[in-house]
Amino acid sequence: MNVNVTINDKAEQRDVEPSVTLLEFVRDVLGLKGTKEYCHSGVCGACTVLMDGNAISACSTLAVQADGHDLLTVEGLGTPDDMHPIQQAFVDNFGLQCGYCTPGMVLLTKSLLDENPQPTREEIIRYMGSNICRCTGYAGILASVEAVVAQRGK
Amino acid sequence: MCAAEKPRVTRLIGQSMPTLEAADKATGRVEYMGDLTVPNMTHAKIVRSPFAHARITSIDASAARALPGVVCVFTRDELLADDDMETLYGFVYRDVPVVATDKVRHEGDIVAVVVAETENIAEEAVELVDVDYEELPSVMSVDAALEDGAIHVHDDFFPIAPELRPRAGTNICHEAQISKGDIVQGFAEADFIYEDSYSAPPVQHCALDRHAVIVDYEGDEITVWTNCQSPFPLQREIKRIFNKDARVIVPYVGGGFGSKSRDRIEVVITGAAKLAKRPVRYIMTQEETFQTFIRPAYQSWIKTGVKKDGTIVARHHVFTVDVGAYAISGARSANNTLKVATGPYNIPNAVVDCYAVYTNKPPSAPYRGLPTTQHTMSYETQLDRIAKDLGIDRLELRRMNLAREGDIHLTGDWLRNAHTHECLDQVTEAIGWDKPLAPSADGKIVRGRGVASTIKYTLTPPREMSENSAEVALGEDGIFEARFGTVNMGQGSDTTMAQITGDALGVGLDLLRLVHSDTGLTPVDSSTTASRSTYHMGNALVDASDKLKEQILAAAAPMLEQSADKLTMGDEGVTVDGDPGNGLSFDEIVRRNGGPFAAMGECVVGGTWKAPDGKEYPIASTFWTFASCAAEVEVDTETGLVRLVSAAASATTGTAINPHSIETQLEGGVGQEMGPTLFEQMVWSDEGQLMNPTLMDYPLPTMQTMPHYEPRFVEHPFDGGPFGAKGMGEIGAVIVPGAVLNAVNDATGVMFHEVPLLPYKVLEALDSRAGSEA
Ligand code: FES
Ligand code: FES
């Protein structure tokens, strides 16, 4: 089946089997390996991408469901030399250790802050609670999100 | 050999800096195992046993082989037909068949590998491999495995590490004892004797970066890319089994926590790659990681003799560890923790017995300090019971028994850097121990606080078996290159090593390049486990840097017409003391030298240590890490839900190389161990099938369950460590269950002897307490 998407501001068109997941499409078909996989069951959030600005699990979405939609993966957010402020905050506030959950976490942060630019701590915790990190105990991640919120509030 | 006669200047050490690779990680640019590909690569899937214990009566892979796109199927037939392939794997305990030969010993045991052009074809072909099994009775717990007449998981034992002692004709793959003083005498002197039993079920590490491997068998040497935490032992093992040189390359790893300390897929995939004659990639699914390595079930029984005043005079501690179907890792981990089973206390008479037992569960692996964590839970909760019974304050009881600098440990070691009291003081202060708890508004939520203290060893094999080396070089571009085997799995090792190397050389990070964990490029190192790298690799890098510095200064001396001791190395190169304008840049020195410089360094450990009393004492652990945790919990008496509200943790770190990184390691350890303390556990059916193999029914801590953290550390330089540093990567986890159980007891008056504190168990216990009070 034909899948047309805009991904990281670029139009892409590919012919894929209907069973191909959005995660396979992003990683294997388009070669964007920044999006990660762990549970493959929609629980951990390592595969988080933004579809029309909303955070979704790419492992539990079919590529064809993304047809006609706008996608953002971690590659579209910033580069090591020109990081997005959210990524910079994760670096500065020790919001990552092994880094495996980080692409998902920064995209989840973006979708939170796009929806709710000045969330309270409780709102952050509720929203960010959907993704798993095994290294940080989440303190650094919370500090990173709060740092972006504080910066934007200025 | 030491060029550093001038006082060392520390510019990088002591700085809280984000990891060097943080920006690459935040932008998704770092490649983990699952992101790597090599040309002409094929894809493997594994046929796994559905039974906990069975004999394989036949394997027919012909239909799978006939499927278009299938490259080959590797089974016992190919293994046994190949005279150039050993059949058993394991560098601590050699009990794992490369691929199942006669029996399968746990659900998920490896029966065959299917190699195909795509993962989908491989997956399809797995279904076409026809395996007939004759199911055998299984033993799913240590108790069952120790019963008279229990089936034997293995008929023979093959321990490799010299300290491992199986008991023939049983499922005990290792037993050992350690003792101090005379416990018969000790218990005779005691006024009171307490006996308790404790247990903890298996959990999985859930490192998000699943175990994966790529093997290229072709060429002069086998090339293995893997996220294993022990590349060098693995390399030697592959070389032994296949009788061919091997190179093991480890990229950035997305979390290990012990689950990758002894990976077992490399060997079987190497067998498949030999057959395929093309590179083979295999990535586990999350479910398969649950069948590969787990934290073992633990049980303990402890008996403590105390005087009326609270002085502990005797302790007997017996523990069992369920190593699962293969002892490749579990037997030695259990043995290592003998050294710390009596805790950070000065107990004159003690005996500890350890039994590592085979069952038909998946093989066990260390888990951020296991089973020190469970030992700590056992002796710390018993201490609270003793305190209550004797009417002695809980902190006071600890303070009077905590070991101090120079006390003789269970192992005979003279304890060094033992700032146990400071750790305890820090955490009680941080949690506000003396502040009143928030009152229970409606009587529904009750609150309490608890503490726990611990002692942790690091991996300390006999001197001749300890391998800790590194190389530092200066290249033509005037950049220093540090080459070291430590695996970067998120603990920040590259940054720590860069801080140490930079300060040892006297140059900044701009002049440093790092090469990590590649047996082809980095000198030999035992493993990245047991919080050992900062100390061992740090020392090896200091040694290499000192030697390199000496070489460079000796070469620069004639160029600058000065004696070497009048020269200093810094960011500008080598300069003449007192005449900073007079010097040479590094690239210029290399050019005039006619070639680059390189020096090897090592960290020598073991032997004995001469104490201030002039006597020699054994070194059972290169360094000891001491730590305490104070926890505050809320217990909902209607639902039984326990919430960890706040947790303070403190450890003796020696010099803090990267202070904030230490704090985040502590937070990570506490945050991780909270899961097994409150709600994580793996559950098997009586037939040996795992009932909760996916995250849908195996919950993990999230930001919503996160406590408020108060990380602290006690920083007194440790003589012998690189710039005075010790290791601490695991310690945050070790102290959690003991502190939480004690806090729950404080809140409810119920002392639990097991984890996790599932709400229904808490309610049951509260009900039976109410019943007994009525
Ligand atoms: S991999 Fe998609 S949610 Fe876990
Ligand atoms: S940083 Fe390792 S999983 Fe989050």
Side-chain angles (χ1 to χ4, degrees):
Chain A
M1 290 174 83
N2 218 336
V3 174
N4 279 290
V5 294
T6 308
I7 181 160
N8 304 333
D9 291 330
K10 198 168 150 223
E12 294 282 2
Q13 180 185 355
R14 292 289 194 285
D15 197 30
V16 299
E17 295 288 321
S19 62
V20 167
T21 64
L22 182 56
L23 182 60
E24 289 163 336
F25 182 75
V26 169
R27 282 182 57 89
D28 303 334
V29 179
L30 299 179
L32 297 169
K33 304 269 174 125
T35 307
K36 301 301 180 205
E37 174 180 350
Y38 171 58
C39 70
H40 208 86
S41 52
V43 181
C44 74
C47 63
T48 303
V49 299
L50 301 193
M51 184 152 92
D52 304 327
N54 299 314
I56 56 163
S57 294
C59 73
S60 7
T61 307
L62 292 174
V64 293
Q65 290 174 282
D67 184 43
H69 292 276
D70 184 65
L71 297 171
L72 180 71
T73 69
V74 69
E75 289 88 351
L77 209 53
T79 63
D81 298 324
D82 183 19
M83 281 187 278
H84 184 278
I86 294 174
Q87 292 167 319
Q88 185 70 53
F90 270 72
V91 171
D92 295 344
N93 295 281
F94 289 62
L96 61 94
Q97 288 180 22
C98 82
Y100 200 84
C101 71
T102 314
M105 287 288 183
V106 297
L107 288 168
L108 190 65
T109 307
K110 182 164 188 335
S111 108
L112 163 67
L113 299 183
D114 287 350
E115 256 174 52
N116 180 359
Q118 289 293 309
T120 63
R121 174 171 287 190
E122 285 62 41
E123 286 169 336
I124 296 172
I125 289 174
R126 203 172 324 124
Y127 201 93
M128 299 300 291
S130 66
N131 278 19
I132 300 281
C133 171
R134 294 296 289 152
C135 302
T136 61
Y138 303 102
I141 297 175
L142 178 60
S144 305
V145 179
E146 288 190 327
V148 184
V149 173
Q151 217 175 44
R152 293 199 178 167
K154 275 186 203 154
Chain B
M1 283 285 260
C2 186
E5 272 149 28
K6 291 181 190 163
R8 290 194 190 275
V9 179
T10 50
R11 290 191 294 170
L12 301 168
I13 290 170
Q15 270 191 50
S16 287
M17 53 173 84
T19 56
L20 302 172
E21 63 278 8
D24 289 339
K25 285 179 171 174
T27 52
R29 264 53 172 195
V30 160
E31 286 195 319
Y32 302 88
M33 259 321 294
D35 305 325
L36 299 183
T37 53
V38 298
N40 201 25
M41 188 174 84
T42 61
H43 302 265
K45 285 281 173 188
I46 289 181
V47 179
R48 290 177 181 275
S49 166
F51 300 112
H53 196 199
R55 191 178 309 284
I56 301 172
T57 49
S58 72
I59 303 177
D60 179 1
S62 53
R65 290 192 179 99
L67 187 74
V70 169
V71 177
C72 64
V73 182
F74 179 64
T75 69
R76 61 182 182 181
D77 296 338
E78 289 70 30
L79 170 67
L80 298 174
D82 188 335
D83 291 336
D84 260 337
M85 215 186 282
E86 296 288 330
T87 52
L88 285 178
Y89 159 72
F91 44 82
V92 173
Y93 222 110
R94 190 160 296 152
D95 59 358
V96 196
V98 169
V99 66
T101 48
D102 56 341
K103 284 184 195 173
V104 285
R105 296 184 175 84
H106 66 92
E107 184 195 15
D109 209 353
I110 299 174
V111 178
V113 180
V114 176
V115 180
E117 296 296 341
T118 69
E119 270 188 66
N120 285 342
I121 298 172
E123 216 163 275
E124 203 180 318
V126 160
E127 300 300 321
L128 299 176
V129 178
D130 196 6
V131 186
D132 282 330
Y133 299 93
E134 173 200 335
E135 216 183 327
L136 298 170
S138 57
V139 283
M140 290 308 295
S141 69
V142 164
D143 289 345
L146 292 179
E147 264 171 29
D148 277 347
I151 57 100
H152 293 159
V153 179
H154 291 267
D155 302 322
D156 292 306
F157 298 98
F158 305 99
I160 299 299
E163 68 272 25
L164 300 176
R165 311 225 182 293
R167 190 192 289 184
T170 72
N171 283 310
I172 299 172
C173 60
H174 172 62
E175 62 183 318
Q177 186 180 77
I178 189 168
S179 67
K180 179 187 167 189
D182 176 350
I183 55 161
V184 177
Q185 182 67 27
F187 282 117
E189 282 169 19
D191 296 318
F192 300 99
I193 289 176
Y194 297 87
E195 285 181 60
D196 290 284
S197 300
Y198 298 91
S199 65
V203 295
Q204 220 280 334
H205 312 70
C206 299
L208 298 190
D209 176 24
R210 299 156 299 157
H211 311 220
V213 60
I214 300 174
V215 182
D216 186 354
Y217 196 91
E218 304 307 295
D220 294 340
E221 61 180 9
I222 306 168
T223 312
V224 180
W225 290 264
T226 167
N227 43 21
C228 177
Q229 292 170 232
S230 307
F232 288 91
L234 178 67
Q235 174 214 18
R236 278 191 290 235
E237 197 53 6
I238 288 179
K239 196 171 159 183
R240 181 187 67 81
I241 291 171
F242 297 94
N243 193 19
K244 183 174 174 178
D245 277 336
R247 173 178 177 186
V248 176
I249 303 167
V250 182
Y252 288 105
V253 177
F257 317 120
S259 65
K260 294 166 179 141
S261 53
R262 303 277 181 271
D263 272 13
R264 66 178 290 212
I265 50 174
E266 290 79 359
V267 175
V268 67
I269 298 299
T270 304
K274 183 176 182 185
L275 198 62
K277 299 191 168 59
R278 282 170 59 185
V280 177
R281 181 175 82 171
Y282 169 65
I283 306 175
M284 278 190 201
T285 64
Q286 175 261 307
E287 284 96 322
E288 286 177 299
T289 65
F290 275 47
Q291 296 177 326
T292 301
F293 279 119
I294 62 172
R295 155 152 131 185
Y298 169 94
Q299 290 180 316
S300 69
W301 168 84
I302 78 174
K303 176 176 167 185
T304 304
V306 292
K307 299 291 252 185
K308 279 195 206 83
D309 69 355
T311 311
I312 304 173
V313 287
R315 164 75 56 76
H316 190 184
H317 183 139
V318 182
F319 70 95
T320 65
V321 167
D322 174 349
V323 303
Y326 300 108
I328 31 179
S329 179
R332 187 162 77 175
S333 316
N335 187 63
N336 285 338
T337 67
L338 271 172
K339 303 171 183 177
V340 291
T342 52
Y345 299 100
N346 199 7
I347 304 179
N349 307 293
V351 171
V352 184
D353 292 296
C354 153
Y355 298 94
V357 182
Y358 279 133
T359 67
N360 293 110
K361 289 209 193 92
S364 76
Y367 181 116
R368 217 161 179 162
L370 168 121
T372 312
T373 311
Q374 285 71 24
H375 293 336
T376 306
M377 170 180 111
S378 309
Y379 59 71
E380 282 297 317
T381 52
Q382 194 189 47
L383 267 190
D384 266 31
R385 181 160 98 83
I386 296 171
K388 201 173 196 174
D389 200 53
L390 296 182
I392 300 176
D393 176 74
R394 296 184 278 168
L395 298 183
E396 192 44 42
L397 182 67
R398 287 179 170 79
R399 288 196 180 109
M400 61 193 285
N401 287 291
L402 273 174
R404 292 175 187 274
E405 187 82 8
D407 280 342
I408 305 304
H409 188 56
L410 176 66
T411 52
D413 288 41
W414 199 95
L415 287 175
R416 290 186 282 159
N417 209 254
H419 305 284
T420 52
H421 292 256
E422 264 180 80
C423 286
L424 187 59
D425 292 347
Q426 278 192 343
V427 297
T428 48
E429 207 221 294
I431 202 116
W433 189 262
D434 296 324
K435 291 206 189 93
L437 288 157
S440 176
D442 46 8
K444 196 165 88 82
I445 305 280
V446 291
R447 299 185 174 80
R449 297 195 184 109
V451 291
S453 295
T454 196
I455 175 173
K456 172 87 178 65
Y457 65 92
T458 188
L459 192 67
T460 307
R463 175 179 293 214
E464 46 314 336
M465 292 172 68
S466 178
E467 300 178 304
N468 325 285
S469 52
E471 186 174 27
V472 181
L474 173 62
E476 279 162 15
D477 53 1
I479 300 288
F480 291 89
E481 190 168 281
R483 302 167 189 150
F484 52 93
T486 304
V487 174
N488 187 334
M489 47 194 180
Q491 80 283 43
S493 51
D494 284 7
T495 312
T496 303
M497 300 311 161
Q499 288 175 278
I500 291 172
T501 309
D503 275 353
L505 292 168
V507 303
L509 295 177
D510 291 350
L511 291 180
L512 264 184
R513 186 165 47 224
L514 307 176
V515 178
H516 63 207
S517 56
D518 176 343
T519 65
L521 300 176
T522 61
V524 62
D525 172 47
S526 300
S527 59
T528 304
T529 58
S531 306
R532 64 186 296 282
S533 302
T534 297
Y535 183 97
H536 294 90
M537 192 52 78
N539 268 335
L541 283 164
V542 170
D543 186 38
S545 301
D546 284 349
K547 288 172 180 162
L548 185 74
K549 194 166 166 180
E550 195 159 280
Q551 281 183 31
I552 294 168
L553 293 180
M559 301 175 195
L560 288 161
E561 296 176 349
Q562 284 286 343
S563 65
D565 60 349
K566 299 268 162 16
L567 302 176
T568 296
M569 248 165 70
D571 289 344
E572 281 70 48
V574 174
T575 50
V576 177
D577 291 349
D579 183 10
N582 189 4
L584 287 169
S585 64
F586 289 120
D587 54 343
E588 179 66 13
I589 296 172
V590 175
R591 199 182 57 75
R592 290 213 214 160
N593 184 55
F597 299 84
M600 293 287 290
E602 59 174 344
C603 172
V604 179
V605 298
T608 57
W609 184 73
K610 190 169 179 179
D613 64 6
K615 292 198 206 122
E616 297 285 336
Y617 289 87
I619 301 178
S621 179
T622 309
F623 59 85
W624 304 95
T625 304
F626 300 88
S628 295
C629 176
E632 182 173 323
V633 301
E634 279 180 5
V635 183
D636 185 324
T637 54
E638 274 174 13
T639 62
L641 203 69
V642 178
R643 202 166 76 80
L644 179 57
V645 179
S646 151
S650 169
T652 60
T653 56
T655 301
I657 305 279
N658 189 338
H660 193 49
S661 168
I662 287 178
E663 291 166 354
T664 60
Q665 282 298 308
L666 286 171
E667 289 168 352
V670 171
Q672 187 165 45
E673 191 59 42
M674 200 197 74
T677 305
L678 296 183
F679 46 76
E680 281 177 52
Q681 67 174 335
M682 298 175 82
V683 181
W684 283 266
S685 69
D686 291 341
E687 291 72 42
Q689 269 80 42
L690 181 62
M691 306 296 281
N692 53 349
T694 72
L695 291 203
M696 310 258 211
D697 23 46
Y698 185 94
L700 290 169
T702 68
M703 199 182 277
Q704 279 159 309
T705 57
M706 171 183 72
H708 170 71
Y709 300 99
E710 289 286 349
R712 299 283 188 281
F713 50 87
V714 175
E715 190 182 11
H716 297 290
F718 175 57
D719 191 24
F723 294 88
K726 304 199 282 191
M728 52 73 57
E730 301 160 300
I731 201 78
V734 172
I735 43 187
V736 173
V740 170
L741 262 58
N742 283 338
V744 169
N745 181 32
D746 187 44
T748 64
V750 178
M751 181 57 89
F752 285 87
H753 288 222
E754 61 178 6
V755 285
L757 297 174
L758 295 174
Y760 82 89
K761 291 198 175 169
V762 174
L763 281 186
E764 269 174 25
L766 292 176
D767 284 351
S768 73
R769 184 200 56 172
S772 68
E773 280 171 2

